Amino acid sequence: MAGMSGRIDSVRKELRAALEKRNPNKDWSFVTSQIGMFSFTGLSPEQVANMTNKWEVYMTKDGRISLAGLNSAKVDRLADAIVDSFASA
């Protein structure tokens, strides 16, 4: 379990860095301040629809996303999708 937890913590740090690179004016600290397999993104239902329809990234309508399946190779694409979806508000 410690290995999985450490991997998710690592991918959270990578995701936060990728988000900060794309939009340094937004506070992305929620990505690393949360713990566990899920992250509440703060996306609205409309922004979640953008994630699903445009980016094919699936999450609950309240903006909760599972980070358990995220790996380093997918971080940039997810960061692009999140930044684009926040901008679509």
Side-chain angles (χ1 to χ4, degrees):
M1 194 58 123
M4 179 189 235
S5 175
R7 190 193 66 75
I8 292 174
D9 287 345
S10 176
V11 83
R12 281 182 180 277
K13 290 174 186 170
E14 289 179 48
L15 179 58
R16 181 177 176 181
L19 291 165
E20 289 173 341
K21 180 179 176 185
R22 285 157 177 76
N23 185 350
N25 298 320
K26 181 161 178 53
D27 179 13
W28 299 106
S29 62
F30 69 88
V31 175
T32 53
S33 66
Q34 297 174 16
I35 59 171
M37 295 181 2
F38 297 94
S39 180
F40 285 96
T41 62
L43 292 166
S44 70
E46 295 80 17
Q47 293 166 325
V48 170
N50 184 69
M51 292 282 287
T52 301
N53 298 331
K54 181 176 179 181
W55 293 92
E56 298 179 349
V57 174
Y58 300 91
M59 62 181 63
T60 61
K61 291 182 181 174
D62 66 357
R64 184 175 66 134
I65 190 168
S66 172
L67 297 179
L70 183 62
N71 60 42
S72 296
K74 298 177 185 175
V75 164
D76 285 334
R77 185 171 190 284
L78 180 59
D80 289 340
I82 292 172
V83 169
D84 176 68
S85 295
F86 269 111
S88 74

